[in-house]
Amino acid sequence: MAKGLKENGLAATHQGAVDIRDDTFMVDAALIGELLGLSASRVQLLMRQGDITSVCERGFEEHAGEFRLSFFYSNRRARLSTDLEGRILRKSIIAFGDRPLSETPA
């Protein structure tokens, strides 16, 4: 099931939740937890253990000046699209039901 959250515009409770400095992205653990259904403290632990993984992609053409951050845990994928200042433009969640995400990309 795919679920979009405020597909257009900024999320009021997490505006500025992504800090971009020197090609490093820092995302509020509370936001990641909200998207993945976890507490912020659990997010930090699971990231340290390597159970939550992430990918960052730079937009091009019509998405130039944007970044897409994807977070993977269990059977869920959460995505954030930001502008160059870290403002959240879009966010989405997809849950793959009983099928966990593969540990190795296909």
Side-chain angles (χ1 to χ4, degrees), residues 11-15 34 91:
T13 58
H14 294 291
Q15 188 171 1
E34 176 186 313
K91 57 183 178 173

Side-chain angles (χ1 to χ4, degrees), residues 71-103:
F71 300 90
F72 305 92
Y73 175 69
S74 184
N75 67 340
R76 297 175 71 89
R77 180 192 70 208
R79 282 194 171 154
L80 299 171
S81 293
T82 73
D83 64 12
L84 294 172
E85 286 78 41
R87 289 183 295 244
I88 298 170
L89 305 173
R90 292 173 298 281
K91 57 183 178 173
S92 65
I93 304 164
I94 187 167
F96 295 95
D98 293 335
R99 295 177 32 198
L101 296 175
S102 170
E103 292 184 20

